Amino acid sequence: IMRRIESFTGPIDWRMPQSHAIYWAWKGLQHARGFEEVMLDRMIFHGLADSFRQGGFFHDPDEDIFIPVPNPDILPYVMRAYQNDLEEYDDDAMLAGYLNFLNHALIIMYTYNRTEEARRVFEEIDSRYPHETKDRELDTYVVDVFTDRIENIGEREALSFVKGAFHQSLFWAAMGDEEQADGYDRLARRIWQAYMEPRMNDEAWLERSGLPPVSTIRRMVREQIENNNVIMREPDRMIGE
């Protein structure tokens, strides 16, 4: 059953709650009728989308840190699920949700240096929502989307952006381009600062939705790269891809 599910979802981490939701919804479809089928289909769909956003995790037993992180490898499967759903249901809310997901995915792929995948996401946005892109290029659109989202993003989304920028920084450092490495390092710290600044004077808010220190996040990214036995390939590919 898990193998059949992964033929639809791509490689998911079976330790995560999203994967359990997908599994039991999949099992439930064997017995569902009518509206129950729609609800279970949606449970699988939303579990898959959430698996992209936070379906992996980082665990540091020395610091007692457990943090959900994005699973970018399943992006094509999530996009296919959205597209299939849009074909089956003429739903304005689903159309708006797909744009929101694509914007999030674009920033993740862009900051993780998965350039070709980021460009494919941008092309999908430009094709379905031309009023959003307004003839802007990829780089300009990413900056504009990020600027619009920073005030309203959640803890996990902010963390994924910071981690992505640090991934870029370490990638370019490994490639010998210190200027770009420094630029992405500064970007990661600016994102962290922009997100954390309004929380600094509210202890309850900080405890509820604050991020780990910048040094911890950067070390987390470096350890993930080292644990994946990173091998450098073409300059336009992410480390470890």
Side-chain angles (χ1 to χ4, degrees):
I1 293 173
M2 291 161 71
R3 283 196 296 269
R4 290 203 301 272
I5 290 173
E6 286 200 330
S7 70
F8 172 77
T9 64
I12 54 178
D13 189 327
W14 288 98
R15 295 169 294 183
M16 302 301 285
Q18 296 90 340
S19 304
H20 289 243
I22 292 170
Y23 177 89
W24 288 109
W26 190 284
K27 290 277 287 183
L29 283 173
Q30 301 171 28
H31 312 283
R33 298 291 183 273
F35 188 64
E36 291 174 344
E37 292 183 80
V38 176
M39 294 298 292
L40 290 171
D41 276 336
R42 290 294 173 90
M43 183 181 293
I44 293 170
F45 171 81
H46 288 298
L48 180 57
D50 200 48
S51 288
F52 170 81
R53 298 186 186 97
Q54 51 185 347
F57 71 87
F58 173 83
H59 179 219
D60 184 341
D62 294 333
E63 299 290 338
D64 195 26
I65 294 173
F66 176 93
I67 302 175
V69 296
N71 180 6
D73 291 336
I74 66 170
L75 175 61
Y77 298 88
V78 185
M79 291 177 64
R80 183 181 65 185
Y82 265 109
Q83 291 160 2
N84 291 342
D85 220 39
L86 287 170
E87 288 179 7
E88 186 171 354
Y89 305 104
D90 184 13
D91 189 334
D92 289 340
M94 179 63 66
L95 195 63
Y98 188 34
L99 174 61
N100 185 62
F101 173 81
L102 288 173
N103 281 334
H104 183 118
L106 178 65
I107 294 174
I108 294 296
M109 292 304 184
Y110 187 87
T111 55
Y112 275 69
N113 200 35
R114 299 177 74 144
T115 310
E116 291 305 315
E117 291 157 283
R119 188 163 298 281
R120 286 196 289 273
V121 173
F122 178 70
E123 289 170 355
E124 175 77 353
I125 297 170
D126 190 46
S127 173
R128 289 184 181 267
Y129 311 92
H131 58 285
E132 292 289 330
T133 56
K134 299 176 182 176
D135 298 321
R136 285 175 287 183
E137 295 297 325
L138 171 61
D139 293 347
T140 304
Y141 185 76
V142 168
V143 171
D144 291 344
V145 168
F146 178 76
T147 301
D148 291 341
R149 292 173 75 94
I150 190 63
E151 294 181 359
N152 301 308
I153 63 177
E155 172 192 357
R156 290 170 179 170
E157 191 173 12
L159 179 62
S160 67
F161 293 163
V162 176
K163 287 178 80 269
F166 276 133
H167 266 277
Q168 283 272 39
S169 175
L170 293 168
F171 170 82
W172 289 111
M175 295 299 292
D177 190 332
E178 292 299 329
E179 185 174 348
Q180 285 210 64
D182 289 345
Y184 278 108
D185 186 89
R186 287 194 299 271
L187 174 61
R189 296 171 191 277
R190 286 172 184 165
I191 296 170
W192 188 92
Q193 185 65 34
Y195 176 81
M196 291 291 288
E197 190 168 3
R199 292 164 171 76
M200 291 299 192
N201 296 321
D202 187 327
E203 188 172 332
W205 193 13
L206 182 63
E207 182 177 356
R208 185 172 64 250
S209 63
L211 298 179
V214 168
S215 58
T216 299
I217 299 174
R218 191 175 189 280
R219 178 173 53 80
M220 177 194 316
V221 173
R222 180 177 291 280
E223 288 179 4
Q224 284 180 316
I225 292 172
E226 292 172 351
N227 290 339
N228 287 336
N229 298 318
V230 174
I231 299 175
M232 297 299 301
R233 297 181 180 175
E234 301 99 15
D236 63 341
R237 298 286 297 277
M238 172 186 162
I239 292 180
E241 184 181 354

